[in-house]
Amino acid sequence: MDIIFLHGLEVECVIGVWEWERRITQKIVIDLDMGWDITKAASSDDLNDTLSYKDVAKRVSAHVQNVKANLVERLAEDIANILLGEFGCQWCRVRVNKPGAVTGSKDVGVVVERGEC
C-alpha cells in the first residue's frame, strides 16, 4: 500500500484532564500516515487524483481545536475516524504527541492504527 504522510503538524488546543489545563492552550504534535493508492495521481500528475494533505491538515487542526478533549487517546481516535470516514483512506496511523506533559520526558503520546493494511 502507498502511504501519504503528514508529520509534525503542530496545533494549539485545550487538552488535558486537570483544571489548570482546561484554562490554557497547549501544543500537540500530530503525525499522520495515510494509506492511499497513488497510481492514478502518479500517472495524471493532477491534484484532484490524490489525497490533499493540505485539506487533511486543515480539517484535523480545526477538529482538534474545537473538540477540547481531555485525552490524547480521544484525539487519536477522532482523527483516525476522520481520515477513514471523510477522506476515504484505506488505512491510517495516527500519532498524537503531547510534548512536555511529563516532567523529565521530551515527549509522550499515543499511536493508533486503523483500517486495512
Short mmCIF file of all heavy atoms in Angstrom, two decimals, residues 27-93:
data_model
loop_
_atom_site.label_atom_id
_atom_site.label_comp_id
_atom_site.label_asym_id
_atom_site.label_seq_id
_atom_site.Cartn_x
_atom_site.Cartn_y
_atom_site.Cartn_z
N LYS A 27 0.48 22.93 23.09
CA LYS A 27 0.83 22.45 21.76
C LYS A 27 0.82 20.93 21.74
O LYS A 27 1.40 20.28 22.63
CB LYS A 27 2.21 22.95 21.35
CG LYS A 27 2.64 22.45 19.98
CD LYS A 27 3.98 23.01 19.56
CE LYS A 27 5.10 22.34 20.30
NZ LYS A 27 6.43 22.74 19.85
N ILE A 28 0.15 20.36 20.75
CA ILE A 28 0.30 18.95 20.46
C ILE A 28 0.89 18.84 19.06
O ILE A 28 0.79 19.77 18.25
CB ILE A 28 -1.02 18.16 20.56
CG1 ILE A 28 -2.04 18.65 19.55
CG2 ILE A 28 -1.57 18.19 21.98
CD1 ILE A 28 -3.19 17.69 19.37
N VAL A 29 1.54 17.72 18.81
CA VAL A 29 2.15 17.48 17.51
C VAL A 29 1.57 16.18 16.96
O VAL A 29 1.55 15.16 17.66
CB VAL A 29 3.69 17.39 17.62
CG1 VAL A 29 4.31 17.17 16.25
CG2 VAL A 29 4.26 18.64 18.28
N ILE A 30 1.11 16.24 15.73
CA ILE A 30 0.42 15.10 15.11
C ILE A 30 1.21 14.60 13.91
O ILE A 30 1.63 15.40 13.06
CB ILE A 30 -1.00 15.51 14.66
CG1 ILE A 30 -1.80 16.04 15.87
CG2 ILE A 30 -1.71 14.36 13.98
CD1 ILE A 30 -3.07 16.76 15.50
N ASP A 31 1.39 13.30 13.85
CA ASP A 31 1.99 12.63 12.69
C ASP A 31 0.95 11.71 12.08
O ASP A 31 0.35 10.90 12.80
CB ASP A 31 3.22 11.80 13.09
CG ASP A 31 4.35 12.65 13.67
OD1 ASP A 31 4.51 13.79 13.22
OD2 ASP A 31 5.05 12.15 14.56
N LEU A 32 0.75 11.83 10.78
CA LEU A 32 -0.24 11.01 10.08
C LEU A 32 0.42 10.23 8.95
O LEU A 32 1.16 10.81 8.14
CB LEU A 32 -1.34 11.90 9.48
CG LEU A 32 -2.06 12.84 10.43
CD1 LEU A 32 -3.00 13.75 9.65
CD2 LEU A 32 -2.80 12.05 11.49
N ASP A 33 0.15 8.95 8.89
CA ASP A 33 0.49 8.10 7.75
C ASP A 33 -0.83 7.57 7.23
O ASP A 33 -1.59 6.94 7.98
CB ASP A 33 1.40 6.94 8.17
CG ASP A 33 2.74 7.42 8.68
OD1 ASP A 33 3.33 8.30 8.03
OD2 ASP A 33 3.20 6.92 9.73
N MET A 34 -1.10 7.82 5.94
CA MET A 34 -2.41 7.52 5.37
C MET A 34 -2.28 6.61 4.16
O MET A 34 -1.59 6.96 3.19
CB MET A 34 -3.11 8.83 5.00
CG MET A 34 -3.30 9.75 6.20
SD MET A 34 -3.63 11.49 5.78
CE MET A 34 -2.00 12.08 5.29
N GLY A 35 -2.93 5.45 4.24
CA GLY A 35 -2.90 4.50 3.14
C GLY A 35 -3.75 5.00 1.98
O GLY A 35 -4.94 5.25 2.15
N TRP A 36 -3.11 5.12 0.81
CA TRP A 36 -3.79 5.70 -0.34
C TRP A 36 -3.12 5.16 -1.61
O TRP A 36 -1.90 5.14 -1.70
CB TRP A 36 -3.64 7.21 -0.31
CG TRP A 36 -4.52 7.93 -1.27
CD1 TRP A 36 -4.22 8.28 -2.55
CD2 TRP A 36 -5.85 8.38 -1.04
NE1 TRP A 36 -5.27 8.93 -3.12
CE2 TRP A 36 -6.29 9.00 -2.21
CE3 TRP A 36 -6.72 8.32 0.06
CZ2 TRP A 36 -7.56 9.56 -2.33
CZ3 TRP A 36 -7.96 8.87 -0.06
CH2 TRP A 36 -8.38 9.48 -1.23
N ASP A 37 -3.90 4.75 -2.56
CA ASP A 37 -3.36 4.29 -3.84
C ASP A 37 -3.00 5.52 -4.68
O ASP A 37 -3.89 6.26 -5.13
CB ASP A 37 -4.38 3.43 -4.58
CG ASP A 37 -3.85 2.86 -5.88
OD1 ASP A 37 -2.73 3.24 -6.30
OD2 ASP A 37 -4.55 2.04 -6.49
N ILE A 38 -1.71 5.75 -4.89
CA ILE A 38 -1.27 6.95 -5.62
C ILE A 38 -1.11 6.72 -7.13
O ILE A 38 -0.69 7.62 -7.85
CB ILE A 38 0.04 7.52 -5.04
CG1 ILE A 38 1.21 6.58 -5.29
CG2 ILE A 38 -0.12 7.85 -3.55
CD1 ILE A 38 2.56 7.23 -5.11
N THR A 39 -1.46 5.54 -7.61
CA THR A 39 -1.24 5.19 -9.01
C THR A 39 -1.85 6.20 -9.97
O THR A 39 -1.19 6.67 -10.90
CB THR A 39 -1.80 3.79 -9.30
OG1 THR A 39 -1.25 2.86 -8.37
CG2 THR A 39 -1.46 3.35 -10.70
N LYS A 40 -3.11 6.54 -9.76
CA LYS A 40 -3.80 7.47 -10.67
C LYS A 40 -3.13 8.84 -10.65
O LYS A 40 -2.90 9.45 -11.70
CB LYS A 40 -5.27 7.58 -10.30
CG LYS A 40 -6.09 8.41 -11.27
CD LYS A 40 -7.57 8.37 -10.93
CE LYS A 40 -8.37 9.19 -11.93
NZ LYS A 40 -9.79 9.24 -11.60
N ALA A 41 -2.82 9.35 -9.47
CA ALA A 41 -2.19 10.66 -9.36
C ALA A 41 -0.78 10.66 -9.97
O ALA A 41 -0.38 11.63 -10.61
CB ALA A 41 -2.12 11.09 -7.90
N ALA A 42 -0.06 9.58 -9.79
CA ALA A 42 1.28 9.48 -10.37
C ALA A 42 1.22 9.52 -11.89
O ALA A 42 2.09 10.12 -12.54
CB ALA A 42 1.96 8.20 -9.89
N SER A 43 0.18 8.93 -12.44
CA SER A 43 0.02 8.91 -13.89
C SER A 43 -0.49 10.24 -14.44
O SER A 43 0.01 10.76 -15.44
CB SER A 43 -0.95 7.79 -14.28
OG SER A 43 -1.20 7.81 -15.66
N SER A 44 -1.48 10.83 -13.76
CA SER A 44 -2.11 12.05 -14.26
C SER A 44 -1.37 13.33 -13.87
O SER A 44 -1.51 14.35 -14.52
CB SER A 44 -3.55 12.16 -13.75
OG SER A 44 -3.55 12.43 -12.35
N ASP A 45 -0.63 13.27 -12.76
CA ASP A 45 0.05 14.44 -12.21
C ASP A 45 -0.95 15.53 -11.84
O ASP A 45 -0.66 16.72 -11.94
CB ASP A 45 1.11 14.97 -13.18
CG ASP A 45 2.19 15.79 -12.50
OD1 ASP A 45 2.41 15.60 -11.29
OD2 ASP A 45 2.81 16.63 -13.18
N ASP A 46 -2.14 15.10 -11.40
CA ASP A 46 -3.25 16.01 -11.10
C ASP A 46 -3.63 15.91 -9.63
O ASP A 46 -3.90 14.82 -9.13
CB ASP A 46 -4.45 15.65 -11.98
CG ASP A 46 -5.60 16.64 -11.87
OD1 ASP A 46 -5.71 17.35 -10.85
OD2 ASP A 46 -6.40 16.69 -12.81
N LEU A 47 -3.67 17.04 -8.95
CA LEU A 47 -4.01 17.08 -7.52
C LEU A 47 -5.36 16.46 -7.23
O LEU A 47 -5.58 15.87 -6.17
CB LEU A 47 -3.98 18.53 -7.01
CG LEU A 47 -4.37 18.76 -5.56
CD1 LEU A 47 -3.41 18.03 -4.62
CD2 LEU A 47 -4.39 20.25 -5.25
N ASN A 48 -6.30 16.57 -8.16
CA ASN A 48 -7.64 16.01 -7.95
C ASN A 48 -7.65 14.48 -7.86
O ASN A 48 -8.64 13.90 -7.43
CB ASN A 48 -8.58 16.46 -9.06
CG ASN A 48 -8.84 17.94 -9.02
OD1 ASN A 48 -9.08 18.50 -7.96
ND2 ASN A 48 -8.75 18.60 -10.16
N ASP A 49 -6.55 13.85 -8.24
CA ASP A 49 -6.48 12.38 -8.21
C ASP A 49 -5.76 11.84 -6.99
O ASP A 49 -5.42 10.66 -6.95
CB ASP A 49 -5.78 11.89 -9.49
CG ASP A 49 -6.61 12.13 -10.73
OD1 ASP A 49 -7.85 12.18 -10.61
OD2 ASP A 49 -6.02 12.27 -11.82
N THR A 50 -5.53 12.68 -6.01
CA THR A 50 -4.81 12.22 -4.82
C THR A 50 -5.45 12.77 -3.56
O THR A 50 -6.42 13.52 -3.60
CB THR A 50 -3.32 12.60 -4.89
OG1 THR A 50 -2.59 11.88 -3.89
CG2 THR A 50 -3.10 14.09 -4.73
N LEU A 51 -4.90 12.41 -2.44
CA LEU A 51 -5.33 12.91 -1.14
C LEU A 51 -4.60 14.21 -0.86
O LEU A 51 -3.36 14.24 -0.87
CB LEU A 51 -5.01 11.86 -0.07
CG LEU A 51 -5.30 12.22 1.38
CD1 LEU A 51 -6.79 12.44 1.59
CD2 LEU A 51 -4.79 11.10 2.30
N SER A 52 -5.32 15.27 -0.63
CA SER A 52 -4.72 16.57 -0.37
C SER A 52 -4.30 16.67 1.10
O SER A 52 -5.15 16.77 1.99
CB SER A 52 -5.71 17.69 -0.70
OG SER A 52 -5.24 18.93 -0.20
N TYR A 53 -3.01 16.66 1.35
CA TYR A 53 -2.56 16.77 2.74
C TYR A 53 -2.85 18.14 3.30
O TYR A 53 -2.99 18.30 4.50
CB TYR A 53 -1.10 16.36 2.94
CG TYR A 53 -0.13 16.75 1.88
CD1 TYR A 53 0.36 18.05 1.79
CD2 TYR A 53 0.31 15.83 0.95
CE1 TYR A 53 1.27 18.41 0.82
CE2 TYR A 53 1.22 16.17 -0.03
CZ TYR A 53 1.69 17.47 -0.09
OH TYR A 53 2.58 17.83 -1.05
N LYS A 54 -3.01 19.15 2.43
CA LYS A 54 -3.41 20.47 2.91
C LYS A 54 -4.82 20.42 3.48
O LYS A 54 -5.09 20.96 4.56
CB LYS A 54 -3.33 21.50 1.79
CG LYS A 54 -3.71 22.89 2.22
CD LYS A 54 -3.60 23.89 1.08
CE LYS A 54 -4.01 25.28 1.55
NZ LYS A 54 -3.91 26.26 0.45
N ASP A 55 -5.74 19.76 2.75
CA ASP A 55 -7.12 19.63 3.23
C ASP A 55 -7.17 18.81 4.51
O ASP A 55 -7.93 19.12 5.44
CB ASP A 55 -8.01 18.99 2.17
CG ASP A 55 -8.25 19.91 0.98
OD1 ASP A 55 -8.00 21.13 1.08
OD2 ASP A 55 -8.69 19.39 -0.07
N VAL A 56 -6.37 17.75 4.58
CA VAL A 56 -6.30 16.93 5.78
C VAL A 56 -5.82 17.77 6.96
O VAL A 56 -6.42 17.74 8.04
CB VAL A 56 -5.39 15.70 5.57
CG1 VAL A 56 -5.11 15.00 6.89
CG2 VAL A 56 -6.00 14.73 4.57
N ALA A 57 -4.76 18.53 6.76
CA ALA A 57 -4.20 19.35 7.84
C ALA A 57 -5.21 20.36 8.36
O ALA A 57 -5.36 20.53 9.58
CB ALA A 57 -2.94 20.07 7.36
N LYS A 58 -5.94 21.01 7.45
CA LYS A 58 -6.94 21.99 7.86
C LYS A 58 -8.07 21.33 8.65
O LYS A 58 -8.49 21.85 9.68
CB LYS A 58 -7.49 22.70 6.63
CG LYS A 58 -6.51 23.70 6.02
CD LYS A 58 -6.95 24.24 4.67
CE LYS A 58 -8.25 24.98 4.76
NZ LYS A 58 -8.63 25.62 3.46
N ARG A 59 -8.54 20.19 8.18
CA ARG A 59 -9.66 19.51 8.85
C ARG A 59 -9.26 18.99 10.22
O ARG A 59 -9.98 19.15 11.21
CB ARG A 59 -10.17 18.36 7.96
CG ARG A 59 -11.24 17.50 8.60
CD ARG A 59 -12.54 18.28 8.80
NE ARG A 59 -13.56 17.41 9.33
CZ ARG A 59 -13.91 17.35 10.61
NH1 ARG A 59 -13.34 18.14 11.51
NH2 ARG A 59 -14.86 16.52 11.01
N VAL A 60 -8.10 18.35 10.29
CA VAL A 60 -7.62 17.80 11.56
C VAL A 60 -7.35 18.92 12.56
O VAL A 60 -7.76 18.83 13.73
CB VAL A 60 -6.38 16.92 11.33
CG1 VAL A 60 -5.68 16.59 12.64
CG2 VAL A 60 -6.77 15.63 10.59
N SER A 61 -6.69 19.98 12.14
CA SER A 61 -6.41 21.11 13.04
C SER A 61 -7.69 21.71 13.59
O SER A 61 -7.79 21.98 14.79
CB SER A 61 -5.60 22.18 12.30
OG SER A 61 -4.33 21.71 11.96
N ALA A 62 -8.67 21.92 12.72
CA ALA A 62 -9.94 22.51 13.16
C ALA A 62 -10.63 21.60 14.18
O ALA A 62 -11.14 22.07 15.20
CB ALA A 62 -10.86 22.74 11.96
N HIS A 63 -10.62 20.30 13.92
CA HIS A 63 -11.27 19.38 14.86
C HIS A 63 -10.58 19.41 16.22
O HIS A 63 -11.24 19.50 17.26
CB HIS A 63 -11.27 17.95 14.30
CG HIS A 63 -11.86 16.98 15.26
ND1 HIS A 63 -13.23 16.87 15.44
CD2 HIS A 63 -11.29 16.13 16.15
CE1 HIS A 63 -13.46 15.96 16.39
NE2 HIS A 63 -12.30 15.50 16.83
N VAL A 64 -9.27 19.32 16.21
CA VAL A 64 -8.50 19.29 17.46
C VAL A 64 -8.74 20.56 18.28
O VAL A 64 -8.91 20.52 19.50
CB VAL A 64 -7.00 19.08 17.17
CG1 VAL A 64 -6.14 19.35 18.39
CG2 VAL A 64 -6.77 17.66 16.64
N GLN A 65 -8.81 21.70 17.61
CA GLN A 65 -9.03 22.96 18.31
C GLN A 65 -10.46 23.06 18.86
O GLN A 65 -10.67 23.61 19.93
CB GLN A 65 -8.75 24.14 17.39
CG GLN A 65 -7.28 24.28 17.08
CD GLN A 65 -7.00 25.27 15.98
OE1 GLN A 65 -7.83 25.50 15.10
NE2 GLN A 65 -5.82 25.86 16.00
N ASN A 66 -11.42 22.51 18.15
CA ASN A 66 -12.82 22.63 18.56
C ASN A 66 -13.25 21.63 19.62
O ASN A 66 -14.11 21.94 20.44
CB ASN A 66 -13.74 22.51 17.34
CG ASN A 66 -13.62 23.69 16.41
OD1 ASN A 66 -13.33 24.80 16.85
ND2 ASN A 66 -13.84 23.48 15.14
N VAL A 67 -12.67 20.43 19.62
CA VAL A 67 -13.19 19.37 20.49
C VAL A 67 -12.81 19.55 21.96
O VAL A 67 -13.52 19.13 22.85
CB VAL A 67 -12.78 17.98 19.96
CG1 VAL A 67 -11.31 17.68 20.25
CG2 VAL A 67 -13.66 16.90 20.56
N LYS A 68 -11.68 20.19 22.22
CA LYS A 68 -11.22 20.42 23.61
C LYS A 68 -11.23 19.11 24.42
O LYS A 68 -11.84 19.01 25.49
CB LYS A 68 -12.05 21.49 24.29
CG LYS A 68 -11.93 22.85 23.64
CD LYS A 68 -12.79 23.89 24.31
CE LYS A 68 -12.60 25.27 23.78
NZ LYS A 68 -12.76 25.49 22.37
N ALA A 69 -10.54 18.12 23.91
CA ALA A 69 -10.52 16.79 24.50
C ALA A 69 -9.76 16.76 25.83
O ALA A 69 -8.90 17.60 26.09
CB ALA A 69 -9.87 15.80 23.53
N ASN A 70 -10.12 15.77 26.63
CA ASN A 70 -9.36 15.52 27.86
C ASN A 70 -8.11 14.72 27.57
O ASN A 70 -7.05 14.97 28.15
CB ASN A 70 -10.22 14.75 28.88
CG ASN A 70 -11.33 15.59 29.45
OD1 ASN A 70 -11.21 16.79 29.63
ND2 ASN A 70 -12.44 14.94 29.75
N LEU A 71 -8.22 13.73 26.70
CA LEU A 71 -7.14 12.76 26.48
C LEU A 71 -6.64 12.77 25.04
O LEU A 71 -7.43 12.93 24.09
CB LEU A 71 -7.63 11.34 26.80
CG LEU A 71 -8.16 11.09 28.21
CD1 LEU A 71 -8.72 9.68 28.30
CD2 LEU A 71 -7.08 11.33 29.24
N VAL A 72 -5.34 12.52 24.87
CA VAL A 72 -4.79 12.37 23.53
C VAL A 72 -5.36 11.13 22.85
O VAL A 72 -5.46 11.07 21.63
CB VAL A 72 -3.24 12.35 23.52
CG1 VAL A 72 -2.68 13.71 23.93
CG2 VAL A 72 -2.68 11.25 24.39
N GLU A 73 -5.76 10.14 23.64
CA GLU A 73 -6.41 8.94 23.08
C GLU A 73 -7.67 9.32 22.30
O GLU A 73 -7.93 8.78 21.22
CB GLU A 73 -6.74 7.94 24.19
CG GLU A 73 -5.55 7.26 24.82
CD GLU A 73 -4.88 8.03 25.95
OE1 GLU A 73 -5.15 9.25 26.12
OE2 GLU A 73 -4.05 7.43 26.66
N ARG A 74 -8.44 10.21 22.85
CA ARG A 74 -9.66 10.69 22.18
C ARG A 74 -9.32 11.34 20.85
O ARG A 74 -9.95 11.10 19.83
CB ARG A 74 -10.41 11.66 23.10
CG ARG A 74 -11.41 12.58 22.43
CD ARG A 74 -12.78 11.95 22.23
NE ARG A 74 -13.69 12.78 21.46
CZ ARG A 74 -14.44 13.77 21.93
NH1 ARG A 74 -14.39 14.10 23.20
NH2 ARG A 74 -15.25 14.42 21.13
N LEU A 75 -8.31 12.22 20.87
CA LEU A 75 -7.93 12.90 19.65
C LEU A 75 -7.45 11.92 18.58
O LEU A 75 -7.83 12.04 17.41
CB LEU A 75 -6.84 13.93 19.93
CG LEU A 75 -7.23 15.15 20.74
CD1 LEU A 75 -6.04 16.06 20.95
CD2 LEU A 75 -8.38 15.90 20.10
N ALA A 76 -6.64 10.96 18.97
CA ALA A 76 -6.11 9.99 18.01
C ALA A 76 -7.25 9.20 17.35
O ALA A 76 -7.27 9.02 16.13
CB ALA A 76 -5.13 9.04 18.68
N GLU A 77 -8.20 8.77 18.15
CA GLU A 77 -9.33 8.00 17.61
C GLU A 77 -10.20 8.88 16.71
O GLU A 77 -10.62 8.45 15.63
CB GLU A 77 -10.16 7.42 18.75
CG GLU A 77 -11.18 6.40 18.31
CD GLU A 77 -10.59 5.11 17.79
OE1 GLU A 77 -9.44 4.76 18.15
OE2 GLU A 77 -11.27 4.43 17.00
N ASP A 78 -10.47 10.09 17.14
CA ASP A 78 -11.26 11.02 16.32
C ASP A 78 -10.59 11.26 14.96
O ASP A 78 -11.24 11.24 13.91
CB ASP A 78 -11.41 12.38 17.01
CG ASP A 78 -12.40 12.38 18.16
OD1 ASP A 78 -13.04 11.34 18.43
OD2 ASP A 78 -12.53 13.45 18.79
N ILE A 79 -9.29 11.50 14.99
CA ILE A 79 -8.55 11.78 13.76
C ILE A 79 -8.58 10.57 12.83
O ILE A 79 -8.80 10.71 11.62
CB ILE A 79 -7.11 12.23 14.07
CG1 ILE A 79 -7.12 13.58 14.79
CG2 ILE A 79 -6.27 12.28 12.80
CD1 ILE A 79 -5.80 13.96 15.44
N ALA A 80 -8.38 9.39 13.38
CA ALA A 80 -8.45 8.17 12.56
C ALA A 80 -9.82 8.04 11.90
O ALA A 80 -9.91 7.72 10.70
CB ALA A 80 -8.13 6.94 13.41
N ASN A 81 -10.86 8.32 12.64
CA ASN A 81 -12.22 8.25 12.08
C ASN A 81 -12.42 9.27 10.96
O ASN A 81 -13.09 8.98 9.96
CB ASN A 81 -13.27 8.42 13.17
CG ASN A 81 -13.35 7.22 14.08
OD1 ASN A 81 -13.08 6.09 13.67
ND2 ASN A 81 -13.72 7.44 15.33
N ILE A 82 -11.87 10.45 11.11
CA ILE A 82 -11.96 11.47 10.08
C ILE A 82 -11.23 11.00 8.81
O ILE A 82 -11.76 11.12 7.69
CB ILE A 82 -11.37 12.82 10.58
CG1 ILE A 82 -12.32 13.44 11.62
CG2 ILE A 82 -11.12 13.78 9.42
CD1 ILE A 82 -11.72 14.61 12.38
N LEU A 83 -10.03 10.47 8.98
CA LEU A 83 -9.25 10.04 7.81
C LEU A 83 -9.94 8.91 7.06
O LEU A 83 -9.98 8.91 5.82
CB LEU A 83 -7.85 9.61 8.25
CG LEU A 83 -6.98 10.70 8.85
CD1 LEU A 83 -5.65 10.12 9.32
CD2 LEU A 83 -6.75 11.83 7.86
N LEU A 84 -10.48 7.94 7.80
CA LEU A 84 -11.14 6.81 7.15
C LEU A 84 -12.51 7.18 6.61
O LEU A 84 -12.85 6.82 5.47
CB LEU A 84 -11.27 5.65 8.14
CG LEU A 84 -9.96 5.06 8.67
CD1 LEU A 84 -10.25 4.02 9.74
CD2 LEU A 84 -9.11 4.47 7.57
N GLY A 85 -13.29 7.91 7.39
CA GLY A 85 -14.66 8.20 7.02
C GLY A 85 -14.84 9.35 6.06
O GLY A 85 -15.58 9.25 5.08
N GLU A 86 -14.14 10.45 6.31
CA GLU A 86 -14.34 11.64 5.49
C GLU A 86 -13.41 11.71 4.28
O GLU A 86 -13.81 12.20 3.23
CB GLU A 86 -14.15 12.90 6.32
CG GLU A 86 -15.20 13.06 7.41
CD GLU A 86 -15.01 14.32 8.23
OE1 GLU A 86 -14.43 15.31 7.72
OE2 GLU A 86 -15.44 14.32 9.40
N PHE A 87 -12.19 11.22 4.44
CA PHE A 87 -11.23 11.32 3.34
C PHE A 87 -11.10 10.02 2.55
O PHE A 87 -10.48 10.01 1.49
CB PHE A 87 -9.87 11.78 3.86
CG PHE A 87 -9.87 13.24 4.25
CD1 PHE A 87 -10.08 13.62 5.56
CD2 PHE A 87 -9.68 14.23 3.30
CE1 PHE A 87 -10.09 14.95 5.92
CE2 PHE A 87 -9.69 15.57 3.65
CZ PHE A 87 -9.90 15.94 4.97
N GLY A 88 -11.63 8.94 3.08
CA GLY A 88 -11.61 7.67 2.34
C GLY A 88 -10.27 6.96 2.34
O GLY A 88 -9.99 6.15 1.45
N CYS A 89 -9.44 7.23 3.35
CA CYS A 89 -8.18 6.48 3.44
C CYS A 89 -8.50 5.01 3.69
O CYS A 89 -9.47 4.67 4.36
CB CYS A 89 -7.33 7.02 4.59
SG CYS A 89 -6.75 8.71 4.32
N GLN A 90 -7.66 4.15 3.16
CA GLN A 90 -7.84 2.71 3.36
C GLN A 90 -7.30 2.27 4.72
O GLN A 90 -7.76 1.29 5.30
CB GLN A 90 -7.11 1.94 2.25
CG GLN A 90 -7.62 2.26 0.87
CD GLN A 90 -6.70 1.72 -0.21
OE1 GLN A 90 -5.72 1.03 0.05
NE2 GLN A 90 -7.02 2.02 -1.45
N TRP A 91 -6.32 2.98 5.20
CA TRP A 91 -5.62 2.66 6.44
C TRP A 91 -4.98 3.94 6.95
O TRP A 91 -4.68 4.85 6.18
CB TRP A 91 -4.53 1.61 6.15
CG TRP A 91 -3.53 1.41 7.24
CD1 TRP A 91 -3.62 0.54 8.29
CD2 TRP A 91 -2.27 2.08 7.38
NE1 TRP A 91 -2.49 0.65 9.07
CE2 TRP A 91 -1.65 1.58 8.54
CE3 TRP A 91 -1.63 3.08 6.66
CZ2 TRP A 91 -0.42 2.02 8.99
CZ3 TRP A 91 -0.39 3.53 7.10
CH2 TRP A 91 0.21 3.00 8.25
N CYS A 92 -4.78 4.04 8.26
CA CYS A 92 -4.05 5.18 8.79
C CYS A 92 -3.32 4.82 10.07
O CYS A 92 -3.72 3.91 10.81
CB CYS A 92 -4.98 6.37 9.02
SG CYS A 92 -6.24 6.11 10.27
N ARG A 93 -2.25 5.54 10.29
CA ARG A 93 -1.53 5.51 11.56
C ARG A 93 -1.54 6.96 12.05
O ARG A 93 -1.10 7.86 11.33
CB ARG A 93 -0.10 5.03 11.40
CG ARG A 93 0.69 5.04 12.72
CD ARG A 93 2.15 4.62 12.55
NE ARG A 93 2.25 3.30 11.98
CZ ARG A 93 2.87 3.00 10.83
NH1 ARG A 93 3.41 3.97 10.10
NH2 ARG A 93 2.92 1.77 10.40
#
